[in-house]
Amino acid sequence: MESGILEGYILGLISKEEREEVERLMESQEEIRLEVFRISQEIEGFAKKQAIPPDVTIKPLLMGIIDYDTRIGNGEVVTNPPVLGENSKIEDYADWLNREDMVLPHNFNEEIHLKIIGYNAEKTTGILWLKSGAPPETHETELERFLIVEGTCDIIIGNKVHSLVAGDFLEIPLFIEHRVKVTSSILCKAILERFSVAA
């Protein structure tokens, strides 16, 4: 119990033989079982105290990637949505916006949802839904572009507020902090594009 093997057992850092020995001892000795439980609780408590809350944009991005990969794996044809720009129109994305599977899940209660509609080495394009907004972030290697489809939002770049409505386009410059605040009573829906640039 003083050797550190129990801690190693919990963390998966001991050999197969040591693990089997610990498990054999746990079956026959309640003192060992209780000590493993106590150490587990202690390690979990320490991990929780040290935990850093994840950025709220990470989960929707990961879920969007998993959803896209699954769709492609199930036979969806890879498409290449047009590059977003000042002359972009909502109709340019009608093929994706009008698809029956490009909607919010029925049980949606998150802040952000993303359905990726195109991906290659240069750009990722998706349909984005924002409930109340997106936290501050700064891009160093990706230009982020928005085309508002439904609802309204303010995109604050540095200290400048850009109030956007359906049909508006905005490109976020590199190296300047920005955030999004939804200003409509409905979710803000947008085409989002992240375009890689040389660092």
Side-chain angles (χ1 to χ4, degrees), residues 145-184:
R145 300 168 175 158
F146 293 90
L147 175 66
I148 306 303
V149 176
E150 295 173 1
T152 61
C153 68
D154 287 343
I155 299 183
I156 301 94
I157 304 173
N159 294 321
K160 187 170 182 184
V161 178
H162 302 265
S163 296
L164 306 177
V165 300
D168 286 348
F169 165 82
L170 185 66
E171 179 176 280
I172 311 296
L174 298 176
F175 308 111
I176 300 178
E177 184 178 87
H178 64 280
R179 61 187 173 89
V180 182
K181 179 182 176 189
V182 174
T183 55
S184 54

CSV table of all heavy atoms in Angstrom, one decimal, residues 145-184:
chain,number,residue,atom,x,y,z
A,145,ARG,N,-15.1,33.6,-42.1
A,145,ARG,CA,-16.1,34.4,-42.8
A,145,ARG,C,-17.5,34.0,-42.5
A,145,ARG,O,-17.7,32.8,-42.3
A,145,ARG,CB,-15.8,34.2,-44.3
A,145,ARG,CG,-14.4,34.7,-44.8
A,145,ARG,CD,-14.1,34.2,-46.2
A,145,ARG,NE,-12.8,34.7,-46.6
A,145,ARG,CZ,-12.1,34.2,-47.5
A,145,ARG,NH1,-12.5,33.1,-48.2
A,145,ARG,NH2,-10.9,34.7,-47.9
A,146,PHE,N,-18.4,34.9,-42.5
A,146,PHE,CA,-19.8,34.6,-42.2
A,146,PHE,C,-20.7,35.2,-43.2
A,146,PHE,O,-20.5,36.3,-43.7
A,146,PHE,CB,-20.2,35.3,-40.8
A,146,PHE,CG,-19.5,34.8,-39.6
A,146,PHE,CD1,-18.3,35.3,-39.2
A,146,PHE,CD2,-20.1,33.8,-38.9
A,146,PHE,CE1,-17.7,34.8,-38.0
A,146,PHE,CE2,-19.5,33.3,-37.7
A,146,PHE,CZ,-18.3,33.8,-37.3
A,147,LEU,N,-21.7,34.5,-43.6
A,147,LEU,CA,-22.9,34.9,-44.4
A,147,LEU,C,-24.1,34.6,-43.6
A,147,LEU,O,-24.4,33.4,-43.3
A,147,LEU,CB,-22.9,34.3,-45.7
A,147,LEU,CG,-24.1,34.6,-46.6
A,147,LEU,CD1,-24.1,36.1,-47.0
A,147,LEU,CD2,-24.2,33.7,-47.8
A,148,ILE,N,-24.8,35.6,-43.1
A,148,ILE,CA,-26.0,35.4,-42.2
A,148,ILE,C,-27.1,34.9,-43.1
A,148,ILE,O,-27.4,35.5,-44.1
A,148,ILE,CB,-26.3,36.7,-41.5
A,148,ILE,CG1,-25.1,37.3,-40.7
A,148,ILE,CG2,-27.5,36.5,-40.5
A,148,ILE,CD1,-24.5,36.4,-39.7
A,149,VAL,N,-27.8,33.9,-42.6
A,149,VAL,CA,-28.9,33.3,-43.3
A,149,VAL,C,-30.2,33.6,-42.6
A,149,VAL,O,-31.2,34.0,-43.3
A,149,VAL,CB,-28.7,31.7,-43.4
A,149,VAL,CG1,-29.9,31.1,-44.0
A,149,VAL,CG2,-27.4,31.4,-44.1
A,150,GLU,N,-30.3,33.5,-41.3
A,150,GLU,CA,-31.5,33.9,-40.6
A,150,GLU,C,-31.1,34.5,-39.3
A,150,GLU,O,-30.0,34.3,-38.7
A,150,GLU,CB,-32.3,32.6,-40.2
A,150,GLU,CG,-32.9,31.9,-41.4
A,150,GLU,CD,-33.5,30.5,-41.0
A,150,GLU,OE1,-33.5,30.2,-39.8
A,150,GLU,OE2,-34.0,29.8,-41.9
A,151,GLY,N,-32.0,35.3,-38.7
A,151,GLY,CA,-31.7,36.0,-37.4
A,151,GLY,C,-30.7,37.1,-37.6
A,151,GLY,O,-30.4,37.5,-38.7
A,152,THR,N,-30.3,37.7,-36.5
A,152,THR,CA,-29.4,38.8,-36.5
A,152,THR,C,-28.3,38.6,-35.4
A,152,THR,O,-28.5,37.9,-34.5
A,152,THR,CB,-30.1,40.2,-36.3
A,152,THR,OG1,-30.7,40.1,-35.0
A,152,THR,CG2,-31.2,40.4,-37.3
A,153,CYS,N,-27.2,39.3,-35.6
A,153,CYS,CA,-26.1,39.2,-34.6
A,153,CYS,C,-25.2,40.4,-34.7
A,153,CYS,O,-25.2,41.1,-35.8
A,153,CYS,CB,-25.3,37.9,-34.8
A,153,CYS,SG,-24.3,37.9,-36.3
A,154,ASP,N,-24.5,40.7,-33.7
A,154,ASP,CA,-23.4,41.7,-33.7
A,154,ASP,C,-22.1,40.9,-33.6
A,154,ASP,O,-22.0,40.0,-32.8
A,154,ASP,CB,-23.5,42.6,-32.4
A,154,ASP,CG,-24.6,43.6,-32.5
A,154,ASP,OD1,-25.1,43.8,-33.6
A,154,ASP,OD2,-25.0,44.1,-31.5
A,155,ILE,N,-21.2,41.2,-34.5
A,155,ILE,CA,-19.9,40.6,-34.5
A,155,ILE,C,-19.0,41.8,-34.1
A,155,ILE,O,-18.9,42.8,-34.8
A,155,ILE,CB,-19.4,40.0,-35.8
A,155,ILE,CG1,-20.4,38.8,-36.1
A,155,ILE,CG2,-18.0,39.5,-35.7
A,155,ILE,CD1,-20.0,38.0,-37.4
A,156,ILE,N,-18.4,41.6,-32.9
A,156,ILE,CA,-17.5,42.7,-32.4
A,156,ILE,C,-16.1,42.3,-32.7
A,156,ILE,O,-15.6,41.3,-32.2
A,156,ILE,CB,-17.7,42.8,-30.8
A,156,ILE,CG1,-19.2,43.2,-30.6
A,156,ILE,CG2,-16.8,43.9,-30.3
A,156,ILE,CD1,-20.1,42.0,-30.2
A,157,ILE,N,-15.4,43.1,-33.5
A,157,ILE,CA,-14.0,42.9,-33.9
A,157,ILE,C,-13.2,44.0,-33.2
A,157,ILE,O,-13.4,45.2,-33.6
A,157,ILE,CB,-13.8,42.9,-35.4
A,157,ILE,CG1,-14.8,41.9,-36.1
A,157,ILE,CG2,-12.4,42.7,-35.8
A,157,ILE,CD1,-14.8,42.0,-37.6
A,158,GLY,N,-12.4,43.6,-32.3
A,158,GLY,CA,-11.7,44.7,-31.5
A,158,GLY,C,-12.8,45.5,-30.7
A,158,GLY,O,-13.5,44.9,-30.0
A,159,ASN,N,-12.9,46.7,-31.0
A,159,ASN,CA,-13.9,47.6,-30.4
A,159,ASN,C,-15.0,48.0,-31.3
A,159,ASN,O,-15.9,48.7,-31.0
A,159,ASN,CB,-13.3,48.8,-29.8
A,159,ASN,CG,-12.3,48.5,-28.6
A,159,ASN,OD1,-12.6,47.7,-27.8
A,159,ASN,ND2,-11.2,49.2,-28.6
A,160,LYS,N,-15.0,47.5,-32.6
A,160,LYS,CA,-15.9,47.8,-33.6
A,160,LYS,C,-17.1,46.8,-33.7
A,160,LYS,O,-16.8,45.6,-33.8
A,160,LYS,CB,-15.3,48.0,-34.9
A,160,LYS,CG,-16.2,48.6,-36.0
A,160,LYS,CD,-15.5,48.9,-37.2
A,160,LYS,CE,-16.5,49.5,-38.2
A,160,LYS,NZ,-15.9,49.8,-39.5
A,161,VAL,N,-18.3,47.3,-33.6
A,161,VAL,CA,-19.5,46.4,-33.7
A,161,VAL,C,-20.0,46.4,-35.1
A,161,VAL,O,-20.3,47.5,-35.7
A,161,VAL,CB,-20.6,46.9,-32.7
A,161,VAL,CG1,-21.8,46.0,-32.8
A,161,VAL,CG2,-20.1,46.9,-31.3
A,162,HIS,N,-20.2,45.2,-35.6
A,162,HIS,CA,-20.8,45.0,-37.0
A,162,HIS,C,-22.1,44.4,-36.7
A,162,HIS,O,-22.2,43.2,-36.3
A,162,HIS,CB,-19.9,44.2,-37.8
A,162,HIS,CG,-18.5,44.7,-38.0
A,162,HIS,ND1,-18.2,45.5,-39.1
A,162,HIS,CD2,-17.4,44.6,-37.3
A,162,HIS,CE1,-16.9,45.8,-39.0
A,162,HIS,NE2,-16.4,45.3,-37.9
A,163,SER,N,-23.2,45.1,-37.0
A,163,SER,CA,-24.6,44.5,-36.8
A,163,SER,C,-25.0,43.9,-38.1
A,163,SER,O,-25.1,44.6,-39.1
A,163,SER,CB,-25.6,45.6,-36.4
A,163,SER,OG,-25.2,46.2,-35.1
A,164,LEU,N,-25.3,42.6,-38.1
A,164,LEU,CA,-25.5,41.9,-39.3
A,164,LEU,C,-27.0,41.3,-39.3
A,164,LEU,O,-27.5,40.9,-38.3
A,164,LEU,CB,-24.5,40.7,-39.4
A,164,LEU,CG,-23.0,41.1,-39.4
A,164,LEU,CD1,-22.2,39.8,-39.4
A,164,LEU,CD2,-22.7,42.0,-40.5
A,165,VAL,N,-27.5,41.3,-40.5
A,165,VAL,CA,-28.8,40.7,-40.8
A,165,VAL,C,-28.7,39.7,-41.9
A,165,VAL,O,-27.7,39.6,-42.5
A,165,VAL,CB,-29.9,41.8,-41.1
A,165,VAL,CG1,-30.0,42.8,-40.0
A,165,VAL,CG2,-29.5,42.5,-42.4
A,166,ALA,N,-29.8,39.0,-42.2
A,166,ALA,CA,-29.8,38.0,-43.2
A,166,ALA,C,-29.3,38.6,-44.5
A,166,ALA,O,-29.7,39.6,-45.0
A,166,ALA,CB,-31.2,37.3,-43.4
A,167,GLY,N,-28.3,37.9,-45.2
A,167,GLY,CA,-27.7,38.3,-46.4
A,167,GLY,C,-26.4,39.1,-46.3
A,167,GLY,O,-25.7,39.3,-47.2
A,168,ASP,N,-26.1,39.5,-45.0
A,168,ASP,CA,-24.8,40.2,-44.8
A,168,ASP,C,-23.7,39.3,-44.7
A,168,ASP,O,-23.8,38.1,-44.2
A,168,ASP,CB,-24.9,41.0,-43.5
A,168,ASP,CG,-25.8,42.2,-43.6
A,168,ASP,OD1,-26.2,42.6,-44.7
A,168,ASP,OD2,-26.1,42.8,-42.5
A,169,PHE,N,-22.5,39.7,-45.2
A,169,PHE,CA,-21.3,39.0,-45.2
A,169,PHE,C,-20.3,39.8,-44.4
A,169,PHE,O,-20.2,41.0,-44.4
A,169,PHE,CB,-20.7,38.9,-46.7
A,169,PHE,CG,-19.3,38.5,-46.7
A,169,PHE,CD1,-18.9,37.1,-46.6
A,169,PHE,CD2,-18.3,39.4,-46.9
A,169,PHE,CE1,-17.6,36.8,-46.6
A,169,PHE,CE2,-16.9,39.0,-46.9
A,169,PHE,CZ,-16.6,37.7,-46.8
A,170,LEU,N,-19.4,39.0,-43.7
A,170,LEU,CA,-18.3,39.7,-42.9
A,170,LEU,C,-17.1,38.7,-42.8
A,170,LEU,O,-17.3,37.5,-42.6
A,170,LEU,CB,-18.8,40.1,-41.5
A,170,LEU,CG,-17.8,40.8,-40.6
A,170,LEU,CD1,-17.5,42.2,-41.2
A,170,LEU,CD2,-18.2,41.0,-39.2
A,171,GLU,N,-16.0,39.3,-43.0
A,171,GLU,CA,-14.7,38.5,-42.9
A,171,GLU,C,-14.0,39.1,-41.7
A,171,GLU,O,-13.8,40.2,-41.5
A,171,GLU,CB,-13.8,38.7,-44.1
A,171,GLU,CG,-12.5,37.9,-44.0
A,171,GLU,CD,-11.7,38.0,-45.3
A,171,GLU,OE1,-12.0,37.2,-46.2
A,171,GLU,OE2,-10.8,38.8,-45.3
A,172,ILE,N,-13.5,38.1,-40.8
A,172,ILE,CA,-12.8,38.5,-39.6
A,172,ILE,C,-11.3,38.6,-39.9
A,172,ILE,O,-10.7,37.6,-40.4
A,172,ILE,CB,-13.0,37.4,-38.5
A,172,ILE,CG1,-14.5,37.1,-38.3
A,172,ILE,CG2,-12.4,37.9,-37.2
A,172,ILE,CD1,-15.4,38.3,-37.9
A,173,PRO,N,-10.7,39.7,-39.7
A,173,PRO,CA,-9.2,39.8,-39.9
A,173,PRO,C,-8.4,38.9,-39.0
A,173,PRO,O,-8.9,38.6,-37.9
A,173,PRO,CB,-8.9,41.2,-39.8
A,173,PRO,CG,-10.0,41.8,-38.9
A,173,PRO,CD,-11.2,40.9,-39.1
A,174,LEU,N,-7.2,38.6,-39.4
A,174,LEU,CA,-6.3,37.8,-38.5
A,174,LEU,C,-5.8,38.7,-37.3
A,174,LEU,O,-5.8,39.9,-37.5
A,174,LEU,CB,-5.1,37.3,-39.3
A,174,LEU,CG,-5.3,36.4,-40.4
A,174,LEU,CD1,-4.0,36.1,-41.2
A,174,LEU,CD2,-6.0,35.1,-39.9
A,175,PHE,N,-5.5,38.1,-36.3
A,175,PHE,CA,-4.8,38.7,-35.1
A,175,PHE,C,-5.6,39.7,-34.3
A,175,PHE,O,-5.1,40.5,-33.5
A,175,PHE,CB,-3.4,39.3,-35.5
A,175,PHE,CG,-2.6,38.4,-36.3
A,175,PHE,CD1,-2.3,38.6,-37.7
A,175,PHE,CD2,-2.0,37.3,-35.7
A,175,PHE,CE1,-1.5,37.8,-38.4
A,175,PHE,CE2,-1.2,36.4,-36.4
A,175,PHE,CZ,-0.9,36.7,-37.7
A,176,ILE,N,-6.9,39.8,-34.6
A,176,ILE,CA,-7.8,40.7,-33.8
A,176,ILE,C,-8.9,39.9,-33.1
A,176,ILE,O,-9.6,39.1,-33.8
A,176,ILE,CB,-8.4,41.8,-34.7
A,176,ILE,CG1,-7.3,42.6,-35.4
A,176,ILE,CG2,-9.3,42.7,-33.9
A,176,ILE,CD1,-7.9,43.6,-36.4
A,177,GLU,N,-9.0,40.1,-31.8
A,177,GLU,CA,-10.0,39.3,-31.1
A,177,GLU,C,-11.4,39.7,-31.6
A,177,GLU,O,-11.7,40.9,-31.8
A,177,GLU,CB,-9.9,39.6,-29.6
A,177,GLU,CG,-10.8,38.8,-28.7
A,177,GLU,CD,-10.7,39.0,-27.3
A,177,GLU,OE1,-11.3,40.0,-26.8
A,177,GLU,OE2,-9.9,38.3,-26.6
A,178,HIS,N,-12.3,38.7,-31.7
A,178,HIS,CA,-13.6,39.0,-32.0
A,178,HIS,C,-14.6,38.1,-31.3
A,178,HIS,O,-14.1,37.0,-30.7
A,178,HIS,CB,-13.8,38.8,-33.6
A,178,HIS,CG,-13.6,37.4,-34.0
A,178,HIS,ND1,-12.3,36.9,-34.2
A,178,HIS,CD2,-14.5,36.4,-34.2
A,178,HIS,CE1,-12.4,35.6,-34.5
A,178,HIS,NE2,-13.7,35.3,-34.6
A,179,ARG,N,-15.8,38.4,-31.2
A,179,ARG,CA,-16.8,37.6,-30.6
A,179,ARG,C,-18.2,37.9,-31.2
A,179,ARG,O,-18.3,38.9,-32.0
A,179,ARG,CB,-16.9,37.9,-29.1
A,179,ARG,CG,-17.3,39.3,-28.7
A,179,ARG,CD,-17.2,39.5,-27.2
A,179,ARG,NE,-17.4,40.9,-26.8
A,179,ARG,CZ,-18.6,41.4,-26.6
A,179,ARG,NH1,-19.7,40.7,-26.6
A,179,ARG,NH2,-18.7,42.7,-26.3
A,180,VAL,N,-19.1,37.0,-31.0
A,180,VAL,CA,-20.4,37.1,-31.7
A,180,VAL,C,-21.5,37.2,-30.6
A,180,VAL,O,-21.5,36.4,-29.6
A,180,VAL,CB,-20.7,35.9,-32.6
A,180,VAL,CG1,-22.0,36.1,-33.3
A,180,VAL,CG2,-19.6,35.8,-33.6
A,181,LYS,N,-22.4,38.1,-30.8
A,181,LYS,CA,-23.6,38.2,-29.9
A,181,LYS,C,-24.9,38.2,-30.7
A,181,LYS,O,-25.1,39.0,-31.6
A,181,LYS,CB,-23.5,39.5,-29.1
A,181,LYS,CG,-24.7,39.7,-28.1
A,181,LYS,CD,-24.6,41.0,-27.4
A,181,LYS,CE,-25.9,41.2,-26.6
A,181,LYS,NZ,-26.0,42.6,-26.0
A,182,VAL,N,-25.7,37.2,-30.4
A,182,VAL,CA,-27.0,37.1,-31.2
A,182,VAL,C,-27.9,38.2,-30.7
A,182,VAL,O,-28.1,38.4,-29.5
A,182,VAL,CB,-27.6,35.7,-31.0
A,182,VAL,CG1,-29.0,35.6,-31.6
A,182,VAL,CG2,-26.7,34.6,-31.6
A,183,THR,N,-28.5,38.9,-31.6
A,183,THR,CA,-29.4,40.0,-31.2
A,183,THR,C,-30.9,39.7,-31.6
A,183,THR,O,-31.7,40.6,-31.3
A,183,THR,CB,-29.0,41.3,-31.9
A,183,THR,OG1,-28.9,41.1,-33.3
A,183,THR,CG2,-27.6,41.7,-31.4
A,184,SER,N,-31.2,38.6,-32.2
A,184,SER,CA,-32.6,38.3,-32.6
A,184,SER,C,-33.2,37.3,-31.6
A,184,SER,O,-32.5,36.7,-30.8
A,184,SER,CB,-32.6,37.6,-34.0
A,184,SER,OG,-31.7,36.5,-34.0
